[in-house]
Amino acid sequence: MREAAATQRVAIHAFALTDEEILLLATPAGAGGLSRMMQSLGRGYVARFNRRHGRSGTLWEGRFRSTVVEAGVWLQDCLCFVETAPQRAGLAPDAVEYPWSSARHHLGLAVEPLVTDHPGHWTTGNTPFEREAAHRRHLEQALPAARHRQIRDAMEKGWALGSEAFVAAVESQTQRRAR
């Protein structure tokens, strides 16, 4: 993933690898970067995995799904959504205990070379300690069910996620329904 992200100029802000899905919060440098990164992952990693395990075929069902997210509160909520996925899936008692996510990075417990902090994340505190404490509080609070559902729906349906003005701007720019 690190190779594919670097090659396609995609900044990965958060990730979680679970038994059922790979969740990413990412920013591509240009149009098509995210699609090309996922295609590269599908071609390169899957081929190596299949050779190593003596199998053939795809590892994942269907296409990847994505949505556009407005920075600010939505960014922090999506970061929390991604990093608590293993906990929701019953793979760990809490986000910090799961080794295949970016939670430990954002809590200052590990350096994860895959992660590039989003500029919006820096607004949660003036120092690394303040940002880590704010992130820990956010993870511990958990998202309200309605917010979780909004993020999941947007992800699965390709809707824009943000304020009314943001969604309207996305619709205007793309000439397609975004909610």
Side-chain angles (χ1 to χ4, degrees), residues 12-81:
I12 306 291
H13 308 303
F15 71 91
L17 309 174
T18 72
D19 295 342
E20 299 296 319
E21 60 189 352
I22 298 171
L23 291 160
L24 300 173
L25 182 59
T27 303
L34 189 59
S35 297
R36 287 190 303 273
M37 181 190 85
M38 296 306 292
Q39 184 180 48
S40 176
L41 264 176
R43 287 184 177 157
Y45 175 74
V46 172
R48 286 191 300 265
F49 183 92
N50 283 346
R51 274 194 304 276
R52 184 179 319 132
H53 297 283
R55 62 178 304 279
S56 64
T58 64
L59 292 178
W60 302 296
E61 292 180 15
R63 284 180 42 86
F64 80 97
R65 296 182 208 131
S66 65
T67 189
V68 179
V69 177
E70 183 177 23
V73 173
W74 283 102
L75 176 82
Q76 296 307 315
D77 284 355
C78 288
L79 196 95
C80 181
F81 178 87

Side-chain angles (χ1 to χ4, degrees), residues 31-160:
L34 189 59
S35 297
R36 287 190 303 273
M37 181 190 85
M38 296 306 292
Q39 184 180 48
S40 176
L41 264 176
R43 287 184 177 157
Y45 175 74
V46 172
R48 286 191 300 265
F49 183 92
N50 283 346
R51 274 194 304 276
R52 184 179 319 132
H53 297 283
R55 62 178 304 279
S56 64
T58 64
L59 292 178
W60 302 296
E61 292 180 15
R63 284 180 42 86
F64 80 97
R65 296 182 208 131
S66 65
T67 189
V68 179
V69 177
E70 183 177 23
V73 173
W74 283 102
L75 176 82
Q76 296 307 315
D77 284 355
C78 288
L79 196 95
C80 181
F81 178 87
V82 167
E83 292 181 348
T84 57
Q87 186 178 358
R88 288 190 308 275
L91 299 171
D94 58 43
V96 75
E97 298 295 324
Y98 194 70
W100 298 286
S101 85
S102 54
R104 294 180 56 77
H105 172 86
H106 289 115
L107 295 171
L109 301 172
V111 174
E112 175 52 64
L114 178 62
V115 174
T116 302
D117 288 331
H118 188 280
H121 179 65
W122 287 70
T123 64
T124 62
N126 290 327
T127 68
F129 304 109
E130 289 175 2
R131 288 188 292 277
E132 292 157 7
H135 191 61
R136 182 175 300 282
R137 284 190 302 275
H138 205 131
L139 289 176
E140 288 172 352
Q141 287 174 341
L143 294 173
R147 188 64 138 197
H148 178 272
R149 193 169 36 261
Q150 284 176 296
I151 294 170
R152 178 61 71 182
D153 285 349
M155 220 174 63
E156 290 178 354
K157 297 172 183 172
W159 295 339

